[in-house]
Amino acid sequence: MVDPGPVESRGSGYDAFGDGGEVPPVPVGPRWLSVPLDALDKVLRVLLTVFMAVMLLAALTQVFVRYALPTTLIGPEEIARYMMIGGTFLALPVLARARNHIAVDALAHYLPGGRSRRWLERLILVLEIVFLGLFSWYAGVVVRDAVDTGGFSAGLQIPNWIPMLPLVVGAVLGLVVTAALLAQSFLSGVTFGNYDVAEQEPSA
């Protein structure tokens, strides 16, 4: 079977250095690298949707119980808080994949051409990798301390380290996805925005 070659792997189509919005698909990586990233992205998006739904349901339950019944519940408030924390950090790899993290793009508009902007984006990816690596290490330390402490949540009596796991998982997955994007940039010779589509060399 003939390898179809590089496939679309840009996430939302966000232009990291332009005006944003949908742009034409650009081949940015070999299939063996982009397919696992696509699968991970889909799984995380489904999981984030579930987290959001559970958080909304817990918040509505808390409001209903507080104003409709002569009692209050502690559990729904904790669940909503944990879903918000988990969704925030598990969104790191999704945003990294779509290149939707907040970025200062002023410098890119003053660079002469696509090649210099391409290397600027690679530098940004390297800085993201360094940051996510340090964050992953620190999150691991926090979770380890929570395990050693052995505390429990006030309402549901859940071990404190369990709600902290998304910090480590999200940071590590974000690190892996960002490293894969950097590898894609070198393997395909293209980047993830539309600022230099016309200048990009075709990949071999």
Side-chain angles (χ1 to χ4, degrees):
M1 179 183 250
V2 179
D3 186 355
V7 296
E8 162 62 16
S9 177
R10 293 159 42 108
S12 68
Y14 173 74
D15 177 8
F17 296 117
D19 297 326
E22 295 295 329
V23 295
V26 178
V28 294
R31 182 172 295 274
W32 62 266
L33 188 56
S34 59
V35 168
L37 291 179
D38 288 336
L40 175 63
D41 187 75
K42 290 178 181 178
V43 170
L44 288 176
R45 286 175 184 270
V46 171
L47 189 59
L48 290 173
T49 302
V50 172
F51 278 25
M52 180 64 69
V54 173
M55 181 175 66
L56 177 60
L57 180 61
L60 291 176
T61 301
Q62 180 76 345
V63 172
F64 174 78
V65 170
R66 179 174 298 176
Y67 291 99
L69 301 176
T71 185
T72 57
L73 296 176
I74 300 178
E77 183 178 350
E78 270 194 13
I79 292 174
R81 183 165 62 249
Y82 295 156
M83 293 299 102
M84 182 177 65
I85 294 172
T88 298
F89 289 97
L90 290 179
L92 286 175
V94 175
L95 294 174
R97 178 85 160 86
R99 307 306 299 140
N100 276 339
H101 283 302
I102 296 174
V104 178
D105 59 2
L107 178 60
H109 294 294
Y110 293 98
L111 295 177
R115 187 178 299 275
S116 57
R117 295 182 180 184
R118 187 176 308 132
W119 279 103
L120 174 61
E121 182 165 319
R122 289 167 179 167
L123 174 61
I124 292 173
L125 288 171
V126 170
L127 294 177
E128 289 180 13
I129 290 172
V130 172
F131 170 78
L132 289 171
L134 293 174
F135 185 81
S136 299
W137 176 82
Y138 183 73
V141 171
V142 170
V143 172
R144 185 189 63 187
D145 290 343
V147 172
D148 294 340
T149 303
F152 294 87
S153 64
L156 300 176
Q157 292 298 300
I158 298 174
N160 288 333
W161 63 270
I162 293 180
M164 295 180 181
L165 278 180
L167 278 71
V168 180
V169 175
V172 171
L173 289 179
L175 175 62
V176 171
V177 169
T178 306
L181 293 179
L182 182 62
Q184 284 182 328
S185 175
F186 282 103
L187 290 172
S188 62
V190 298
T191 49
F192 309 97
N194 67 350
Y195 51 81
D196 63 344
V197 169
E199 304 179 49
Q200 292 172 344
E201 302 87 3
S203 57

